[in-house]
Amino acid sequence: MDEALLRSLTPSVLGILVRRGADFAAAEDAVQDALIEAVRGWPDDRPRDPKGWLVTVAWRRFLDAARADTARRRREDVAEEEPAPGPAPGVDDTLQLYFLCAHPSLTPSSAVALTLRAVGGLTTRQIAQAYLVPEATMAQRISRAKRTVSAVRFDRPGDVATVLRVLYLVFNEGYSGDVDLAAEAIRLTRQLAAAIDHPEVAGLLALMLLHHARRAARTAPDGSLVPLAEQDRSRWDTRMIAEGVGILQAALARDRLGEFQAQAAVAALHADAPTAGETDWVQIVEWYDELVRLTESPVVRLNRAVAVGEADGPRAGLAALSVVDDALPRHTAVAAYLHERDGDLTTAALLYVEAARKASDLAERDHLTRQAARLNARRRG
């Protein structure tokens, strides 16, 4: 392989793509893909016209990427509509792309990250936040995944568990982040539930529906966050809640408990309470105990500390929180809430200020700042 030849041809090929109408960044990506193909194929079958070969392959890669981007934008447009109840009315190729990106040659975490970036349309920053890792770390992970799959054929789709993880993260980003993909995630999960008889697929669909049912009440008219305890429950979508509970009950009856079913059970208990004060926190703690057993997730332990604080009192909640990694996002906010419940307004106000500084989401930052201001006003009064 003449690497010097490839290096010498790269600027010329890049210029041709730009003159044909490709933007510079997309042209760079396409040329890099073509160079990878050349490194793989030329030692055995070098073309007679290397430059022409590179231009042809790079231009095809650019067109493929452009079509994929158009398809992604079309899916985002579709996601602006609320998900229709019942079975998915039609099937497109998006779900198949999720399975193909969850390739067996990748670790599950890398497959999820690659799919979120390539198919879900999320940015590296958004994916890093979902994984609780620095953006640079996630960028390296995605780059390694791209290099891994560049030399394999997508003829062995990934497993259901990895695809469920991708759909769950897409839903979470669409539910609380910058890109509204929640309805799209529900649509795809409906398709998966119609195609695969699997209790965890049903559990994930139930979880999405139960969370999505509360969406209208999550923000005030000015865009500020409304905590669950303060939400107007008359604005919750009772039809969607009923559908989610029905799907969950059928899944739980199969006695093959998994993470998504347990999470959906927690969401169902919140949805079932007529008021925040009537929430069955004892049962919620029990479900979080199941989730800890299933996942060993530090985020689950953080949420469990909140539930323990509601069920057994704020000091019990603080004790549960003390064994959770304090570097976790929202750890400081939870500590502030539990200290406020315990009557220590000074500590709670300071912690709310600290939590606001750490928050990456503007709405959450504003909410925490207002909580600190409210407590400081109470103390002065």
Side-chain angles (χ1 to χ4, degrees):
M1 169 59 60
D2 190 348
E3 294 183 8
L5 174 63
L6 289 176
R7 286 196 298 270
S8 67
L9 290 175
T10 297
S12 176
V13 174
L14 182 60
I16 291 172
L17 264 63
V18 171
R19 288 194 295 274
R20 287 186 178 183
D23 67 82
F24 189 81
E28 276 191 315
D29 289 342
V31 171
Q32 287 300 315
D33 287 345
L35 292 173
I36 291 172
E37 286 295 313
V39 170
R40 290 174 52 196
W42 282 15
D44 298 325
D45 185 21
R46 178 170 173 170
R48 285 179 292 182
D49 180 6
K51 180 178 177 180
W53 187 97
L54 286 171
V55 170
T56 299
V57 173
W59 184 245
R60 286 174 181 168
R61 292 292 186 276
F62 166 74
L63 292 177
D64 288 344
R67 281 192 290 267
D69 188 59
T70 299
R72 177 184 59 79
R73 288 197 299 269
R74 184 168 62 250
R75 290 194 295 271
E76 290 177 4
D77 291 339
V78 170
E80 293 178 1
E81 305 173 3
E82 286 299 303
V91 177
D92 58 29
D93 63 351
T94 306
L95 190 58
Q96 183 63 19
L97 289 174
Y98 274 65
F99 273 96
L100 292 176
C101 284
H103 197 273
S105 64
L106 297 173
T107 63
S109 61
S110 293
V112 171
L114 178 62
T115 311
L116 291 172
R117 186 72 184 93
V119 185
L122 275 64
T123 66
T124 303
R125 176 184 60 80
Q126 291 166 331
I127 301 169
Q129 288 174 350
Y131 267 94
L132 310 179
V133 299
E135 184 175 351
T137 300
M138 182 53 63
Q140 292 174 354
R141 184 178 301 177
I142 293 173
S143 295
R144 285 196 299 269
K146 287 180 178 179
R147 288 196 299 270
T148 298
V149 300
S150 67
V152 299
R153 290 176 56 83
F154 285 108
D155 54 2
R156 291 187 298 148
D159 64 358
V160 174
T162 301
V163 173
L164 288 179
R165 179 63 51 190
V166 175
L167 289 168
Y168 178 57
L169 289 175
V170 170
F171 176 81
N172 281 341
E173 188 60 42
Y175 190 62
S176 61
D178 302 327
V179 181
D180 186 1
L181 292 174
E184 169 72 350
I186 292 175
R187 183 182 71 84
L188 292 172
T189 306
R190 285 193 190 280
Q191 289 187 10
L192 189 58
I196 299 176
D197 184 19
H198 192 301
E200 272 295 83
V201 177
L204 178 58
L205 178 57
L207 175 63
M208 289 179 175
L209 292 172
L210 289 165
H211 277 308
H212 206 65
R214 302 199 301 257
R215 187 171 192 174
R218 288 184 69 248
T219 55
D222 63 358
S224 59
L225 292 180
V226 180
L228 177 61
E230 300 172 19
Q231 288 177 15
D232 179 358
R233 298 186 178 215
S234 68
R235 299 185 66 196
W236 290 1
D237 188 330
T238 55
R239 172 193 59 77
M240 196 175 291
I241 289 173
E243 183 187 3
V245 169
I247 292 170
L248 174 63
Q249 289 175 338
L252 291 175
R254 300 177 64 176
D255 198 24
R256 290 169 54 194
L257 183 64
E259 172 188 356
F260 294 120
Q261 294 169 74
Q263 287 194 54
V266 172
L269 287 167
H270 283 300
D272 187 54
T275 66
E278 297 172 86
T279 304
D280 190 341
W281 286 105
V282 173
Q283 271 205 74
I284 288 176
V285 171
E286 292 173 355
W287 279 112
Y288 274 125
D289 288 341
E290 290 287 350
L291 274 166
V292 169
R293 180 181 64 81
L294 289 166
T295 69
E296 291 293 332
S297 165
V299 175
V300 169
R301 292 184 184 276
L302 181 66
N303 291 333
R304 180 185 178 278
V306 176
V308 169
E310 298 291 349
D312 300 326
R315 295 197 178 181
L318 287 167
L321 184 65
S322 67
V323 299
V324 179
D325 183 1
D326 61 7
L328 277 178
R330 294 189 60 249
H331 185 285
T332 307
V334 169
Y337 173 74
L338 291 172
H339 276 288
E340 179 185 353
R341 289 275 321 281
D342 196 39
D344 186 352
L345 303 189
T346 300
T347 299
L350 292 172
L351 287 171
Y352 275 129
V353 171
E354 182 183 347
R357 285 199 302 267
K358 294 178 179 178
S360 58
D361 179 77
L362 180 59
E364 182 180 4
R365 188 181 309 134
D366 289 345
H367 170 72
L368 293 168
T369 301
R370 283 194 296 271
Q371 295 294 87
R374 175 180 58 80
L375 292 189
N376 285 327
R378 281 179 58 186
R379 290 167 52 221
R380 288 194 297 267

